[in-house]
Amino acid sequence: MSALKILVIPGSLRSGSLNARLAAAAAYQFAQAGAEVSRISLGDFPLPIYDGDLQARSGVPKNAVNLKRMIGAHHGVLIVTPEYNASVPPLVKNTIDWVSRVQEAHETRGQVFRGRAFAIAAATESRLGGTRSLAALRTILSACQAMVIPSQLALPFASEAYDDMDRLKHPADIEALGALVRQLIDVSQRMM
Ligand SMILES: Cc1cc2nc3c(=O)[nH]c(=O)nc-3n(C[C@H](O)[C@H](O)[C@H](O)COP(=O)(O)O)c2cc1C
């Protein structure tokens, strides 16, 4: 069997992003568990705000196609999203919207969301840890007919969660992330 490939996507471009740090901690745990991990930045796939006229005129932007291919080259995907006003940030929603419009040869539209497992996590400075953002993201991915694993991680008070090396410092957080990592690996393997 080929190595299990996991893609980790932070949903923030901000330097010092709490979610990019959680994505890094997750990537570390996936690697420790034996998976081949890629961690990307959506800054490498800049996209205009979705506009049907733009798509009609010029097609789906190349970056959406490239990101779709990147997702398609992995067996499992973890999206680590901030929470903005009780939902997902426009960066995350807009990216999913564009990728859901990609249809390459011999594919149905948005096919990349089917046939692989997705996991979701969030980090915020507040007490709720992004649970409302996770609920929204689960709904959006489910609308794309993605298989979103039941385990998820909402990391509250995230500015206090990391040590100087950007590793999670609280055992409970490490264990919660570990449970998500194990479940995504398990479900992704079964879908290979
Ligand atoms: C427009 C905006 C709305 C926000 N709304 C929420 C919110 O609803 N709940 C919350 O916990 N944090 C909210 N925050 C704070 C973010 O969780 C915080 O800025 C976080 O650090 C962003 O993620 P990042 O560090 O990965 O960039 C909001 C921040 C912005 C800029």
Side-chain angles (χ1 to χ4, degrees):
M1 195 185 275
S2 58
L4 184 81
K5 293 185 179 160
I6 300 289
L7 180 65
V8 179
I9 307 178
S12 172
L13 305 177
R14 194 176 68 82
S15 56
S17 158
L18 299 170
N19 287 277
R21 290 155 87 185
L22 182 56
Y28 177 75
Q29 286 209 16
F30 280 118
Q32 290 289 101
E36 212 174 280
V37 194
S38 317
R39 179 161 50 99
I40 59 167
S41 166
L42 292 178
D44 293 327
F45 301 86
L47 289 164
I49 288 289
Y50 182 83
D51 173 352
D53 289 345
L54 177 64
Q55 185 186 351
R57 252 192 336 267
S58 322
V60 174
K62 189 72 184 151
N63 279 337
V65 176
N66 289 343
L67 183 56
K68 172 258 160 190
R69 289 177 184 165
M70 174 70 78
I71 293 169
H74 292 79
H75 303 103
V77 180
L78 170 64
I79 301 176
V80 188
T81 182
E83 178 170 283
Y84 281 6
N85 295 319
S87 190
V88 291
L91 174 70
V92 173
K93 180 65 164 64
N94 189 55
T95 299
I96 294 173
D97 288 346
W98 271 120
V99 172
S100 74
R101 306 307 287 181
V102 177
Q103 180 174 15
E104 294 201 279
H106 313 298
E107 282 181 2
T108 54
R109 194 170 63 198
Q111 185 172 312
V112 77
F113 287 104
R114 303 177 281 277
R116 56 189 39 74
F118 286 76
I120 56 177
T124 69
E125 288 186 46
S126 69
R127 186 174 46 86
L128 291 178
T131 47
R132 297 167 301 179
S133 179
L134 290 177
L137 183 54
R138 187 175 285 279
T139 299
I140 293 161
L141 290 171
S142 299
C144 298
Q145 297 172 14
M147 219 302 292
V148 188
I149 64 165
S151 260
Q152 63 182 37
L153 174 62
L155 184 67
F157 309 118
S159 50
E160 305 297 320
Y162 304 97
D163 65 18
D164 293 345
M165 306 280 287
D166 264 358
R167 289 175 303 215
L168 287 172
K169 63 183 181 193
H170 303 305
D173 294 338
I174 296 168
E175 179 46 40
L177 181 58
L180 179 148
V181 161
R182 285 192 297 277
Q183 192 172 77
L184 184 61
I185 287 177
D186 185 41
V187 176
S188 301
Q189 267 166 345
R190 281 192 265 132
M191 291 177 76
M192 272 172 91

